[in-house]
Amino acid sequence: MPLNRSIVRWMLVAVAALGACAAPSSKPAAQAEVRHITPPNLDAAHLGERVLCYRPMRHGSPNMSVQQVGAQTIVHNYGHGGSGWTLAPGSVKHVVDLFEKSPQGVAFRKDQPVTIVGAGVMGLFTGHELLQRGYTNITVVAERFDHLTSHNAGGLLAPVSMDNDPAMQAVIDRIGIDAYRFYAAVARGEHPELKGGAVIVPAYFENRAESGLEPYVGKVMQPAKEVVLDFGNGTRRPMVAYDDGIFMDTAVLMRSLTDELKPRVKFEQRKVARFADLSATVVFDCSGLGAGALNGDAKMVSVQGHLIMLKDQRPQDLQHMILVYFSEGTTEAGQKVKRSFYIFPKHLPDTGPNDEGVVGGTFVEGATPETPNTQEFERMVQGAKRFYGM
């Protein structure tokens, strides 16, 4: 399969090789602004819950399409890998547009039943979008509504950790720009329904290519700046900064979306084995990993991620995001892993005010709960410590 831009982002890490931890820069790059950042406390007492996530990635590209199956119209929207939150508002807008322009959509009355399969980020944003467009008879059907990957996801707006056919890249870029505008409105307090869960903070990467954000520059984002991060312990790292990066506090947004939908949308907990078991003639398929079995889609794959919640930190020191890639390796289960380090100011609802921050992460294609690869948690912490020069 030819290399695509998302895969290349992972391969570029061999140059930086932070996993092998090249020596940090001893002096700032010419003309680069020096920014002082206090590292988080990564001692064992300050590491909280260890979380395993399973991202639904589809080889080639996400499935965003309208399909007629017998008497039913199935609107597919799944397979975004680690970019589900990044792309969700734009992706949902895209597929609803596809449906409304289709012959079935043109003839469809907005008071007729619509079923959404899946209650993750794609499913809830689909309900939100349909309500905004005047649909009044919506049911969300899912096997589970809590503790989903969508609740646990990190929250950096950047189109990475997915597989794209290069022919799809222009569509993905447009969808991402639409999503950025959506989250920016939430962050600025301009969204009519969602009042929190997104914030504009600096996002740091080793180079522009790895950010995935360059297509947004000049359209919705300002150009990146060359900076040096000074961690106050003798370690400095040359980075690029997007000062209008967006952090989505995913657990908060999931709660906000659920609270918005519940008074106006029916929620039904059950597993869907076949679309034909649903009475609605229009079904939005946001089934994530379940799409593999539900659609017989052999391109779907589970991609495991590891992250650790932080506790007893100084929230004022964590109002930024960092993402750097390490080299590839092999897990104890013999699976290929792409290792990275990220840190975001994630705060879970109903936790203490200083329990802020999340560190990750990994990208283990084909891993399942039967292969948890728990040794990656310690490798991840050690990689973070090396990055900070601890």
Side-chain angles (χ1 to χ4, degrees), residues 161-207:
S161 304
M162 64 185 299
D163 195 3
N164 284 337
D165 184 324
M168 281 287 294
Q169 195 61 49
V171 174
I172 296 297
D173 291 343
R174 175 175 56 79
I175 286 171
I177 289 169
D178 285 344
Y180 184 96
R181 291 191 175 108
F182 181 97
Y183 290 123
V186 175
R188 293 170 183 145
E190 299 167 356
H191 195 280
E193 282 84 27
L194 301 181
K195 303 300 181 184
V199 61
I200 296 174
V201 294
Y204 298 105
F205 303 85
E206 287 195 297
N207 57 64

Side-chain angles (χ1 to χ4, degrees), residues 295-355:
N295 294 292
D297 191 340
K299 294 183 178 181
M300 283 298 297
V301 62
S302 166
V303 179
Q304 186 181 70
H306 299 72
L307 55 88
I308 301 176
M309 299 304 303
L310 302 181
K311 60 183 181 179
D312 297 327
Q313 304 288 329
R314 283 168 43 93
Q316 61 267 37
D317 293 337
L318 295 170
Q319 301 312 303
H320 60 268
M321 300 177 288
I322 297 173
L323 172 61
V324 297
Y325 295 114
F326 298 159
S327 57
E328 295 184 359
T330 304
T331 70
E332 65 261 35
Q335 294 161 327
K336 186 176 174 181
V337 55
K338 298 166 184 173
R339 298 187 176 107
S340 65
F341 161 64
Y342 63 68
I343 184 164
F344 312 139
K346 184 180 177 74
H347 182 83
L348 295 177
D350 307 318
T351 60
N354 294 329
D355 294 343

Side-chain angles (χ1 to χ4, degrees), residues 244-264:
D244 47 1
I246 295 183
F247 167 68
M248 301 89 70
D249 207 331
T250 57
V252 173
L253 282 168
M254 287 291 284
R255 176 178 284 187
S256 297
L257 285 165
T258 300
D259 289 346
E260 179 207 354
L261 297 184
K262 275 195 170 177
R264 304 162 65 188

